[in-house]
Amino acid sequence: MVSEQNNSVGQSKNVCVIGAGPSGLVAARELRKEGHSVVVLEQNHDVGGQWLYEPNVEGEDPLGSWNSPNPDSHFLKVHSSIYASLRLTSPREIMGYSDFPFVVKRGRDARRFPGHHELYRYLKDFCDWFEIRPMIRFNTRVEYVGMLNYGGVGKDLRWVVRSCEKKSEKVIEEVFDAVVVATGHYSHPRKPSIKGMDAWKGKQMHSHVYRVPDPFRDEVVVVVGNSLSGQDISMELVNVAKEVYLSAKSTDNISQGLSKIICKHHNLHLRPQIESLREDGKVLFVDGSWVIADTILYCTGYSYSFPFLDTKGIVVIDDDRVGPLFEHTFPPSLAPSLSFVGIPRKLIGFPFFESQGKWIAQLLAGKKTLPTWNEMMQSIKEFYNSKDAAGVPKHNTHDLAFSAFEYCDKYGDYVEFPHLEEWRKSLCVSALVKAETDLEMYRESRDGDEELLRQAFQSPHFTQLGPLDPTLEAYGFNY
């Protein structure tokens, strides 16, 4: 076990981290390393966040409380959206934090693209190795976060945090110097807008509450959205459902891998967007075709939601654009006492979360300074303008995708965080390319990756923990 603290500690702050998932855990570690006093508030019984699988979803609204007028409905009963069969879409070699590689351990899931439980166990290992658990209050839901006194830009802020211990229902109100929001972004279902949704008599649900295919046996199911989860779930449903109709925004640009899957299964059909839903059970598509379905399963993604956070309108969510945020992390008028970790999507997440945690911790310690308010706001304006000029929809503001590698390296420069290794970038791209051409089997393929894996296992990232012979043997290597 390792308990780290920077020898040149600066100012010490009392900091509340909300969430003990991948972003919250590493942020807590970095904060403690800089000498801050840290409390992590976690609503579930263990660490892991999204990766803490919850099979029991009976108490959750199947549509994620889209239409509920009750403000409390914004606090979902179930946080995790993980389904039972889910496997990683990225290889394990690229996913670990900089000083804690995601290695194979004896008696555990040794696949390069393991199931979700193995990543949960990795996070538990990380938590135990760095002795983070004592900082965490489990089964504690954050109900309110607000400013104690807001004196304007540049003024020292403190934050009132009100939390509720689930079992005893005891409410605690505390004051912190800073709050780090690390609650993830894969829990609150994003609602599509389809004519007739409210009147349709069949079963409608979001993939947030999908767990296993058995309840859909012999049904006609329409899956809305051909994202990775939509494709993954459709591939699973074809084994039990009577018919599966995968509704995509565009039927012209589907991948070669998905085409192969559709050709392989006689009961899997590709359809365009839904035009409307009818009370008699009909699902009408924009090309004029229709089907009578038993269930519509919405794989339409997730929205950012911070129902506990009151910033007096300074931080807002506008069509999934959380802002204004400097570098997806700091609201200029409230920084650095309020920050967000884990907002960006479509990137190699864990190292990026680590660099965010380092920057926040060093800013609060007085070792780093942010640009001026005007400079940060100008940077945000230029970023938004660049997205608009590129035709990127507002709800994709935080999707890094093709710019992810360059952005992560630039971000790391704020705190001298090492750039992503070339082998890490190349393995990431390799997985994406293989998924495009062989959606069903890309996770089992090592073709073309042997040299990259050799570089990875011989790099400081892996050798820092000593010999890794068991890992190499598990992958079939004999160096």
Side-chain angles (χ1 to χ4, degrees), residues 205-234:
M205 60 184 287
H206 192 275
S207 58
H208 172 63
V209 294
Y210 174 86
R211 291 299 180 265
V212 293
D214 293 352
F216 305 90
R217 187 170 298 279
D218 299 324
E219 287 191 355
V220 175
V221 182
V222 175
V223 177
V224 179
N226 71 328
S227 61
L228 285 175
S229 63
Q231 295 174 14
D232 220 20
I233 291 172
S234 296

PDB file of all heavy atoms in Angstrom, residues 205-234:
ATOM      1  N   MET A 205     -38.515   2.020 -22.501  1.00  0.00           N
ATOM      2  CA  MET A 205     -37.493   2.093 -21.467  1.00  0.00           C
ATOM      3  C   MET A 205     -36.195   2.609 -22.062  1.00  0.00           C
ATOM      4  O   MET A 205     -35.966   2.520 -23.275  1.00  0.00           O
ATOM      5  CB  MET A 205     -37.263   0.723 -20.822  1.00  0.00           C
ATOM      6  CG  MET A 205     -36.802  -0.353 -21.789  1.00  0.00           C
ATOM      7  SD  MET A 205     -36.651  -1.995 -21.017  1.00  0.00           S
ATOM      8  CE  MET A 205     -35.166  -1.740 -20.037  1.00  0.00           C
ATOM      9  N   HIS A 206     -35.370   3.166 -21.203  1.00  0.00           N
ATOM     10  CA  HIS A 206     -34.042   3.617 -21.623  1.00  0.00           C
ATOM     11  C   HIS A 206     -33.025   2.545 -21.273  1.00  0.00           C
ATOM     12  O   HIS A 206     -33.215   1.767 -20.325  1.00  0.00           O
ATOM     13  CB  HIS A 206     -33.691   4.935 -20.927  1.00  0.00           C
ATOM     14  CG  HIS A 206     -32.486   5.614 -21.500  1.00  0.00           C
ATOM     15  ND1 HIS A 206     -31.190   5.305 -21.100  1.00  0.00           N
ATOM     16  CD2 HIS A 206     -32.368   6.581 -22.455  1.00  0.00           C
ATOM     17  CE1 HIS A 206     -30.336   6.057 -21.776  1.00  0.00           C
ATOM     18  NE2 HIS A 206     -31.014   6.833 -22.601  1.00  0.00           N
ATOM     19  N   SER A 207     -31.940   2.496 -22.008  1.00  0.00           N
ATOM     20  CA  SER A 207     -30.906   1.483 -21.757  1.00  0.00           C
ATOM     21  C   SER A 207     -30.294   1.618 -20.371  1.00  0.00           C
ATOM     22  O   SER A 207     -29.625   0.689 -19.893  1.00  0.00           O
ATOM     23  CB  SER A 207     -29.798   1.563 -22.819  1.00  0.00           C
ATOM     24  OG  SER A 207     -29.215   2.857 -22.848  1.00  0.00           O
ATOM     25  N   HIS A 208     -30.519   2.750 -19.700  1.00  0.00           N
ATOM     26  CA  HIS A 208     -30.053   2.920 -18.322  1.00  0.00           C
ATOM     27  C   HIS A 208     -30.536   1.785 -17.419  1.00  0.00           C
ATOM     28  O   HIS A 208     -29.843   1.401 -16.477  1.00  0.00           O
ATOM     29  CB  HIS A 208     -30.543   4.264 -17.781  1.00  0.00           C
ATOM     30  CG  HIS A 208     -30.302   4.478 -16.321  1.00  0.00           C
ATOM     31  ND1 HIS A 208     -29.040   4.527 -15.768  1.00  0.00           N
ATOM     32  CD2 HIS A 208     -31.169   4.640 -15.278  1.00  0.00           C
ATOM     33  CE1 HIS A 208     -29.131   4.710 -14.459  1.00  0.00           C
ATOM     34  NE2 HIS A 208     -30.411   4.783 -14.135  1.00  0.00           N
ATOM     35  N   VAL A 209     -31.728   1.253 -17.691  1.00  0.00           N
ATOM     36  CA  VAL A 209     -32.272   0.194 -16.847  1.00  0.00           C
ATOM     37  C   VAL A 209     -32.259  -1.173 -17.540  1.00  0.00           C
ATOM     38  O   VAL A 209     -32.844  -2.123 -17.037  1.00  0.00           O
ATOM     39  CB  VAL A 209     -33.706   0.530 -16.359  1.00  0.00           C
ATOM     40  CG1 VAL A 209     -33.682   1.725 -15.427  1.00  0.00           C
ATOM     41  CG2 VAL A 209     -34.646   0.779 -17.527  1.00  0.00           C
ATOM     42  N   TYR A 210     -31.586  -1.272 -18.678  1.00  0.00           N
ATOM     43  CA  TYR A 210     -31.414  -2.578 -19.320  1.00  0.00           C
ATOM     44  C   TYR A 210     -30.298  -3.345 -18.614  1.00  0.00           C
ATOM     45  O   TYR A 210     -29.227  -2.793 -18.361  1.00  0.00           O
ATOM     46  CB  TYR A 210     -31.060  -2.410 -20.799  1.00  0.00           C
ATOM     47  CG  TYR A 210     -30.724  -3.716 -21.490  1.00  0.00           C
ATOM     48  CD1 TYR A 210     -31.723  -4.511 -22.030  1.00  0.00           C
ATOM     49  CD2 TYR A 210     -29.406  -4.172 -21.572  1.00  0.00           C
ATOM     50  CE1 TYR A 210     -31.426  -5.712 -22.650  1.00  0.00           C
ATOM     51  CE2 TYR A 210     -29.099  -5.369 -22.185  1.00  0.00           C
ATOM     52  CZ  TYR A 210     -30.107  -6.144 -22.721  1.00  0.00           C
ATOM     53  OH  TYR A 210     -29.803  -7.351 -23.322  1.00  0.00           O
ATOM     54  N   ARG A 211     -30.567  -4.613 -18.308  1.00  0.00           N
ATOM     55  CA  ARG A 211     -29.549  -5.430 -17.647  1.00  0.00           C
ATOM     56  C   ARG A 211     -29.301  -6.752 -18.374  1.00  0.00           C
ATOM     57  O   ARG A 211     -28.167  -7.124 -18.618  1.00  0.00           O
ATOM     58  CB  ARG A 211     -29.953  -5.715 -16.186  1.00  0.00           C
ATOM     59  CG  ARG A 211     -29.913  -4.477 -15.265  1.00  0.00           C
ATOM     60  CD  ARG A 211     -28.527  -3.896 -15.171  1.00  0.00           C
ATOM     61  NE  ARG A 211     -28.451  -2.728 -14.303  1.00  0.00           N
ATOM     62  CZ  ARG A 211     -28.522  -1.466 -14.719  1.00  0.00           C
ATOM     63  NH1 ARG A 211     -28.710  -1.210 -16.007  1.00  0.00           N
ATOM     64  NH2 ARG A 211     -28.411  -0.469 -13.872  1.00  0.00           N
ATOM     65  N   VAL A 212     -30.358  -7.496 -18.685  1.00  0.00           N
ATOM     66  CA  VAL A 212     -30.223  -8.804 -19.342  1.00  0.00           C
ATOM     67  C   VAL A 212     -31.284  -8.924 -20.425  1.00  0.00           C
ATOM     68  O   VAL A 212     -32.326  -8.248 -20.370  1.00  0.00           O
ATOM     69  CB  VAL A 212     -30.368  -9.956 -18.318  1.00  0.00           C
ATOM     70  CG1 VAL A 212     -29.191  -9.960 -17.337  1.00  0.00           C
ATOM     71  CG2 VAL A 212     -31.691  -9.871 -17.571  1.00  0.00           C
ATOM     72  N   PRO A 213     -31.086  -9.800 -21.419  1.00  0.00           N
ATOM     73  CA  PRO A 213     -32.033  -9.895 -22.534  1.00  0.00           C
ATOM     74  C   PRO A 213     -33.282 -10.731 -22.250  1.00  0.00           C
ATOM     75  O   PRO A 213     -34.270 -10.624 -22.983  1.00  0.00           O
ATOM     76  CB  PRO A 213     -31.184 -10.551 -23.627  1.00  0.00           C
ATOM     77  CG  PRO A 213     -30.180 -11.367 -22.894  1.00  0.00           C
ATOM     78  CD  PRO A 213     -29.861 -10.587 -21.645  1.00  0.00           C
ATOM     79  N   ASP A 214     -33.277 -11.564 -21.226  1.00  0.00           N
ATOM     80  CA  ASP A 214     -34.371 -12.523 -21.010  1.00  0.00           C
ATOM     81  C   ASP A 214     -35.764 -11.908 -21.006  1.00  0.00           C
ATOM     82  O   ASP A 214     -36.701 -12.507 -21.547  1.00  0.00           O
ATOM     83  CB  ASP A 214     -34.138 -13.288 -19.706  1.00  0.00           C
ATOM     84  CG  ASP A 214     -32.916 -14.198 -19.780  1.00  0.00           C
ATOM     85  OD1 ASP A 214     -32.370 -14.334 -20.893  1.00  0.00           O
ATOM     86  OD2 ASP A 214     -32.505 -14.761 -18.747  1.00  0.00           O
ATOM     87  N   PRO A 215     -35.990 -10.736 -20.391  1.00  0.00           N
ATOM     88  CA  PRO A 215     -37.354 -10.185 -20.381  1.00  0.00           C
ATOM     89  C   PRO A 215     -37.917  -9.874 -21.766  1.00  0.00           C
ATOM     90  O   PRO A 215     -39.127  -9.652 -21.901  1.00  0.00           O
ATOM     91  CB  PRO A 215     -37.203  -8.894 -19.565  1.00  0.00           C
ATOM     92  CG  PRO A 215     -35.996  -9.111 -18.705  1.00  0.00           C
ATOM     93  CD  PRO A 215     -35.074  -9.915 -19.568  1.00  0.00           C
ATOM     94  N   PHE A 216     -37.090  -9.890 -22.792  1.00  0.00           N
ATOM     95  CA  PHE A 216     -37.527  -9.532 -24.136  1.00  0.00           C
ATOM     96  C   PHE A 216     -37.727 -10.763 -25.024  1.00  0.00           C
ATOM     97  O   PHE A 216     -37.868 -10.638 -26.235  1.00  0.00           O
ATOM     98  CB  PHE A 216     -36.511  -8.585 -24.781  1.00  0.00           C
ATOM     99  CG  PHE A 216     -36.236  -7.361 -23.956  1.00  0.00           C
ATOM    100  CD1 PHE A 216     -35.212  -7.353 -23.010  1.00  0.00           C
ATOM    101  CD2 PHE A 216     -37.021  -6.230 -24.089  1.00  0.00           C
ATOM    102  CE1 PHE A 216     -34.963  -6.234 -22.236  1.00  0.00           C
ATOM    103  CE2 PHE A 216     -36.782  -5.105 -23.315  1.00  0.00           C
ATOM    104  CZ  PHE A 216     -35.757  -5.108 -22.382  1.00  0.00           C
ATOM    105  N   ARG A 217     -37.747 -11.923 -24.405  1.00  0.00           N
ATOM    106  CA  ARG A 217     -37.897 -13.164 -25.165  1.00  0.00           C
ATOM    107  C   ARG A 217     -39.198 -13.151 -25.973  1.00  0.00           C
ATOM    108  O   ARG A 217     -40.266 -12.829 -25.478  1.00  0.00           O
ATOM    109  CB  ARG A 217     -37.868 -14.360 -24.220  1.00  0.00           C
ATOM    110  CG  ARG A 217     -37.843 -15.704 -24.934  1.00  0.00           C
ATOM    111  CD  ARG A 217     -37.561 -16.826 -23.956  1.00  0.00           C
ATOM    112  NE  ARG A 217     -36.254 -16.690 -23.327  1.00  0.00           N
ATOM    113  CZ  ARG A 217     -35.096 -17.065 -23.883  1.00  0.00           C
ATOM    114  NH1 ARG A 217     -35.110 -17.596 -25.111  1.00  0.00           N
ATOM    115  NH2 ARG A 217     -33.961 -16.903 -23.240  1.00  0.00           N
ATOM    116  N   ASP A 218     -39.064 -13.484 -27.258  1.00  0.00           N
ATOM    117  CA  ASP A 218     -40.184 -13.597 -28.208  1.00  0.00           C
ATOM    118  C   ASP A 218     -40.894 -12.268 -28.464  1.00  0.00           C
ATOM    119  O   ASP A 218     -42.014 -12.244 -28.992  1.00  0.00           O
ATOM    120  CB  ASP A 218     -41.203 -14.641 -27.726  1.00  0.00           C
ATOM    121  CG  ASP A 218     -40.587 -16.028 -27.604  1.00  0.00           C
ATOM    122  OD1 ASP A 218     -39.724 -16.363 -28.435  1.00  0.00           O
ATOM    123  OD2 ASP A 218     -40.954 -16.761 -26.656  1.00  0.00           O
ATOM    124  N   GLU A 219     -40.261 -11.164 -28.085  1.00  0.00           N
ATOM    125  CA  GLU A 219     -40.855  -9.853 -28.342  1.00  0.00           C
ATOM    126  C   GLU A 219     -40.343  -9.259 -29.650  1.00  0.00           C
ATOM    127  O   GLU A 219     -39.293  -9.651 -30.171  1.00  0.00           O
ATOM    128  CB  GLU A 219     -40.524  -8.875 -27.206  1.00  0.00           C
ATOM    129  CG  GLU A 219     -41.277  -9.132 -25.920  1.00  0.00           C
ATOM    130  CD  GLU A 219     -41.124  -7.982 -24.930  1.00  0.00           C
ATOM    131  OE1 GLU A 219     -40.358  -7.020 -25.212  1.00  0.00           O
ATOM    132  OE2 GLU A 219     -41.773  -8.038 -23.879  1.00  0.00           O
ATOM    133  N   VAL A 220     -41.081  -8.276 -30.147  1.00  0.00           N
ATOM    134  CA  VAL A 220     -40.599  -7.413 -31.220  1.00  0.00           C
ATOM    135  C   VAL A 220     -40.086  -6.138 -30.545  1.00  0.00           C
ATOM    136  O   VAL A 220     -40.846  -5.428 -29.881  1.00  0.00           O
ATOM    137  CB  VAL A 220     -41.715  -7.072 -32.218  1.00  0.00           C
ATOM    138  CG1 VAL A 220     -41.201  -6.074 -33.264  1.00  0.00           C
ATOM    139  CG2 VAL A 220     -42.221  -8.335 -32.899  1.00  0.00           C
ATOM    140  N   VAL A 221     -38.796  -5.900 -30.710  1.00  0.00           N
ATOM    141  CA  VAL A 221     -38.142  -4.802 -29.996  1.00  0.00           C
ATOM    142  C   VAL A 221     -37.574  -3.799 -30.996  1.00  0.00           C
ATOM    143  O   VAL A 221     -36.898  -4.177 -31.955  1.00  0.00           O
ATOM    144  CB  VAL A 221     -37.003  -5.316 -29.082  1.00  0.00           C
ATOM    145  CG1 VAL A 221     -36.375  -4.162 -28.302  1.00  0.00           C
ATOM    146  CG2 VAL A 221     -37.516  -6.389 -28.125  1.00  0.00           C
ATOM    147  N   VAL A 222     -37.829  -2.528 -30.761  1.00  0.00           N
ATOM    148  CA  VAL A 222     -37.200  -1.454 -31.531  1.00  0.00           C
ATOM    149  C   VAL A 222     -36.132  -0.815 -30.649  1.00  0.00           C
ATOM    150  O   VAL A 222     -36.430  -0.326 -29.551  1.00  0.00           O
ATOM    151  CB  VAL A 222     -38.226  -0.391 -31.974  1.00  0.00           C
ATOM    152  CG1 VAL A 222     -37.510   0.768 -32.677  1.00  0.00           C
ATOM    153  CG2 VAL A 222     -39.262  -1.005 -32.904  1.00  0.00           C
ATOM    154  N   VAL A 223     -34.900  -0.854 -31.115  1.00  0.00           N
ATOM    155  CA  VAL A 223     -33.792  -0.222 -30.404  1.00  0.00           C
ATOM    156  C   VAL A 223     -33.496   1.111 -31.085  1.00  0.00           C
ATOM    157  O   VAL A 223     -33.180   1.145 -32.271  1.00  0.00           O
ATOM    158  CB  VAL A 223     -32.536  -1.123 -30.402  1.00  0.00           C
ATOM    159  CG1 VAL A 223     -31.368  -0.410 -29.719  1.00  0.00           C
ATOM    160  CG2 VAL A 223     -32.827  -2.448 -29.715  1.00  0.00           C
ATOM    161  N   VAL A 224     -33.615   2.190 -30.349  1.00  0.00           N
ATOM    162  CA  VAL A 224     -33.418   3.528 -30.918  1.00  0.00           C
ATOM    163  C   VAL A 224     -32.007   3.994 -30.599  1.00  0.00           C
ATOM    164  O   VAL A 224     -31.642   4.191 -29.438  1.00  0.00           O
ATOM    165  CB  VAL A 224     -34.442   4.522 -30.347  1.00  0.00           C
ATOM    166  CG1 VAL A 224     -34.210   5.915 -30.935  1.00  0.00           C
ATOM    167  CG2 VAL A 224     -35.859   4.050 -30.633  1.00  0.00           C
ATOM    168  N   GLY A 225     -31.199   4.170 -31.648  1.00  0.00           N
ATOM    169  CA  GLY A 225     -29.822   4.638 -31.471  1.00  0.00           C
ATOM    170  C   GLY A 225     -28.827   3.541 -31.781  1.00  0.00           C
ATOM    171  O   GLY A 225     -28.858   2.475 -31.157  1.00  0.00           O
ATOM    172  N   ASN A 226     -27.927   3.795 -32.727  1.00  0.00           N
ATOM    173  CA  ASN A 226     -26.936   2.769 -33.075  1.00  0.00           C
ATOM    174  C   ASN A 226     -25.549   3.150 -32.572  1.00  0.00           C
ATOM    175  O   ASN A 226     -24.535   2.956 -33.225  1.00  0.00           O
ATOM    176  CB  ASN A 226     -26.905   2.513 -34.587  1.00  0.00           C
ATOM    177  CG  ASN A 226     -26.310   3.663 -35.374  1.00  0.00           C
ATOM    178  OD1 ASN A 226     -26.438   4.815 -34.975  1.00  0.00           O
ATOM    179  ND2 ASN A 226     -25.657   3.351 -36.479  1.00  0.00           N
ATOM    180  N   SER A 227     -25.510   3.709 -31.359  1.00  0.00           N
ATOM    181  CA  SER A 227     -24.232   3.929 -30.688  1.00  0.00           C
ATOM    182  C   SER A 227     -23.663   2.564 -30.309  1.00  0.00           C
ATOM    183  O   SER A 227     -24.255   1.516 -30.592  1.00  0.00           O
ATOM    184  CB  SER A 227     -24.446   4.765 -29.438  1.00  0.00           C
ATOM    185  OG  SER A 227     -25.312   4.066 -28.546  1.00  0.00           O
ATOM    186  N   LEU A 228     -22.515   2.584 -29.626  1.00  0.00           N
ATOM    187  CA  LEU A 228     -21.920   1.304 -29.224  1.00  0.00           C
ATOM    188  C   LEU A 228     -22.862   0.500 -28.349  1.00  0.00           C
ATOM    189  O   LEU A 228     -22.992  -0.718 -28.510  1.00  0.00           O
ATOM    190  CB  LEU A 228     -20.593   1.558 -28.485  1.00  0.00           C
ATOM    191  CG  LEU A 228     -19.410   1.956 -29.363  1.00  0.00           C
ATOM    192  CD1 LEU A 228     -18.196   2.291 -28.501  1.00  0.00           C
ATOM    193  CD2 LEU A 228     -19.056   0.839 -30.346  1.00  0.00           C
ATOM    194  N   SER A 229     -23.551   1.167 -27.421  1.00  0.00           N
ATOM    195  CA  SER A 229     -24.473   0.423 -26.556  1.00  0.00           C
ATOM    196  C   SER A 229     -25.669  -0.091 -27.345  1.00  0.00           C
ATOM    197  O   SER A 229     -26.139  -1.213 -27.125  1.00  0.00           O
ATOM    198  CB  SER A 229     -24.931   1.302 -25.383  1.00  0.00           C
ATOM    199  OG  SER A 229     -25.643   2.425 -25.842  1.00  0.00           O
ATOM    200  N   GLY A 230     -26.191   0.711 -28.274  1.00  0.00           N
ATOM    201  CA  GLY A 230     -27.310   0.268 -29.090  1.00  0.00           C
ATOM    202  C   GLY A 230     -26.960  -0.948 -29.928  1.00  0.00           C
ATOM    203  O   GLY A 230     -27.748  -1.899 -30.042  1.00  0.00           O
ATOM    204  N   GLN A 231     -25.757  -0.942 -30.501  1.00  0.00           N
ATOM    205  CA  GLN A 231     -25.307  -2.088 -31.288  1.00  0.00           C
ATOM    206  C   GLN A 231     -25.078  -3.304 -30.391  1.00  0.00           C
ATOM    207  O   GLN A 231     -25.489  -4.425 -30.719  1.00  0.00           O
ATOM    208  CB  GLN A 231     -24.023  -1.723 -32.028  1.00  0.00           C
ATOM    209  CG  GLN A 231     -24.198  -0.630 -33.057  1.00  0.00           C
ATOM    210  CD  GLN A 231     -22.882  -0.190 -33.676  1.00  0.00           C
ATOM    211  OE1 GLN A 231     -21.861  -0.851 -33.540  1.00  0.00           O
ATOM    212  NE2 GLN A 231     -22.899   0.939 -34.367  1.00  0.00           N
ATOM    213  N   ASP A 232     -24.439  -3.070 -29.277  1.00  0.00           N
ATOM    214  CA  ASP A 232     -24.122  -4.149 -28.332  1.00  0.00           C
ATOM    215  C   ASP A 232     -25.397  -4.841 -27.842  1.00  0.00           C
ATOM    216  O   ASP A 232     -25.497  -6.075 -27.829  1.00  0.00           O
ATOM    217  CB  ASP A 232     -23.367  -3.551 -27.145  1.00  0.00           C
ATOM    218  CG  ASP A 232     -22.227  -4.440 -26.674  1.00  0.00           C
ATOM    219  OD1 ASP A 232     -21.778  -5.292 -27.459  1.00  0.00           O
ATOM    220  OD2 ASP A 232     -21.792  -4.273 -25.528  1.00  0.00           O
ATOM    221  N   ILE A 233     -26.364  -4.043 -27.424  1.00  0.00           N
ATOM    222  CA  ILE A 233     -27.608  -4.602 -26.895  1.00  0.00           C
ATOM    223  C   ILE A 233     -28.404  -5.291 -27.999  1.00  0.00           C
ATOM    224  O   ILE A 233     -28.998  -6.359 -27.778  1.00  0.00           O
ATOM    225  CB  ILE A 233     -28.428  -3.486 -26.220  1.00  0.00           C
ATOM    226  CG1 ILE A 233     -27.717  -3.031 -24.935  1.00  0.00           C
ATOM    227  CG2 ILE A 233     -29.846  -3.955 -25.902  1.00  0.00           C
ATOM    228  CD1 ILE A 233     -28.322  -1.800 -24.282  1.00  0.00           C
ATOM    229  N   SER A 234     -28.414  -4.729 -29.200  1.00  0.00           N
ATOM    230  CA  SER A 234     -29.115  -5.370 -30.320  1.00  0.00           C
ATOM    231  C   SER A 234     -28.520  -6.736 -30.617  1.00  0.00           C
ATOM    232  O   SER A 234     -29.258  -7.706 -30.874  1.00  0.00           O
ATOM    233  CB  SER A 234     -29.039  -4.483 -31.563  1.00  0.00           C
ATOM    234  OG  SER A 234     -29.718  -3.265 -31.376  1.00  0.00           O
TER     235      SER A 234
END
